Every structure is written in C-alpha cells, then in structure tokens.
Amino acid sequence: MKFVPALALAAVALFTQPAMARPLQCAPYAREHSAIDLHGNAATWWGQAEGTYARGKTPMTGSVLVFKATGAMPVGHVAVVSKIVDERHVVLNHANWSRPGMIEKSAMAEDVSANGDWSSVRVWYAPTQSLGLRTSPTFGFIYAPGAAAADQKPGLPSDTFQAAFAQLPSQG
C-alpha cells in the first residue's frame, strides 16, 4: 500500500491552493480615482449618493457614471469620466469591464439613448477592440463635490470625435 501516501499527498495538493488575490473591482477603483466616497455594489451607488452628492444626466470630468444591475452585470458597474469628447461621447477610466481585474484607461463610452440623456450606453470592449455590441442601462452621473457647471461643456467639437477616437490607445 505504498500508493496510499502518494494518493493522500495528491489529494492534499488538489484541495490546498495558495491564497489568490481577488481581481480589482470597479467600485474600489472608482472610489480611489474620484472624489466620490461610496461603498458597496456599484448599482447601489446611485441611491447612496442621494442627499450626499449631486447627481444628473450630463457627464462632467471627474464624475462617476453608474450602471444599473442587469443579467450581464448583476451588481452594476461604475466608471470615472476622464474626458468629455462631445455631447454623446466620453472617455472613461474603470476596472473589471473587459476582463476580470483589468484596469482600462481611455475607454470610449457612447450615449445611445433615444433622448440623449445617457440612460443607455455602449462602452469600449478590449477583446473586440471596438465599442461593445451590448447596450448597458445607466442611472446617470454622480458629481464630485464642488464640480463646476463649466465642466459640463464638451472638450472637443462633435466633428472631431472620429479623430479623438482614433487616437485612443489600444486597451489590451
């Protein structure tokens, strides 16, 4: 029965795994890279912000875009607006979108809502190197304390969107 100790060692090795660090999630990333100090699942941020932070439907640099929970995103998602391109396009910095734990900077997001209110967006998806095919519903934007109304103006005219999009770094 010399194979029993070897079998026992194999079983221990199979069930004993080194501690693995969890991939970075979107909420801790957004909290660390914005002036919004909220906790918990991303989809709860919108309700938590009420009475503490200003909220709205217009993107502002430094604001946090809050995604609703869906079947594909059961706890929602949050992303920090780093640049406003035009009325329908912003650049986001976020984590855990294209793959678990991946940090993406300069990820384009497009407002595809019928009313231009950012209630539905498409976001850059690294595996396809394009805006994702799936539309994602959002609550809107949570604004940093003291955010100025002037920040709401687009950073570039609409006709320069294609040039700005072409200059974004590859997300890989």
Side-chain angles (χ1 to χ4, degrees):
M1 291 225 178
K2 291 183 180 180
F3 70 91
V4 173
L7 186 59
L9 284 174
V12 168
L14 183 65
F15 293 106
T16 306
Q17 297 179 8
M20 302 289 280
R22 293 183 62 197
L24 181 62
Q25 299 295 310
C26 63
Y29 180 87
R31 187 172 43 255
E32 186 176 317
H33 292 89
S34 73
I36 309 301
D37 187 23
L38 297 172
H39 296 264
N41 290 339
T44 69
W45 280 35
W46 188 255
Q48 289 183 60
E50 186 174 12
T52 303
Y53 297 98
R55 303 177 304 174
K57 300 290 186 181
T58 304
M60 294 173 64
T61 302
S63 64
V64 173
L65 179 58
V66 183
F67 293 72
K68 294 180 178 181
T70 65
M73 297 184 302
V75 296
H77 185 70
V78 287
V80 180
V81 176
S82 67
K83 184 176 185 176
I84 300 181
V85 177
D86 62 28
E87 299 82 22
R88 294 274 190 155
H89 300 91
V90 298
V91 177
L92 302 174
N93 293 339
H94 59 163
N96 210 36
W97 182 264
S98 290
R99 70 174 179 260
M102 179 180 181
I103 295 171
E104 293 177 274
K105 294 186 177 182
S106 300
M108 184 65 67
E110 178 180 43
D111 173 15
V112 294
S113 64
N115 297 325
D117 62 4
W118 289 87
S119 60
S120 183
V121 299
R122 287 181 28 210
V123 178
W124 180 263
Y125 187 62
T128 63
Q129 292 290 295
S130 65
L131 286 173
L133 299 176
R134 179 184 77 217
T135 60
S136 299
T138 70
F139 289 105
F141 300 90
I142 300 173
Y143 305 118
D151 288 342
Q152 295 183 40
K153 294 186 174 82
L156 298 170
S158 294
D159 59 348
T160 61
F161 164 69
Q162 291 298 332
F165 185 74
Q167 292 176 9
L168 289 175
S170 173
Q171 305 287 322

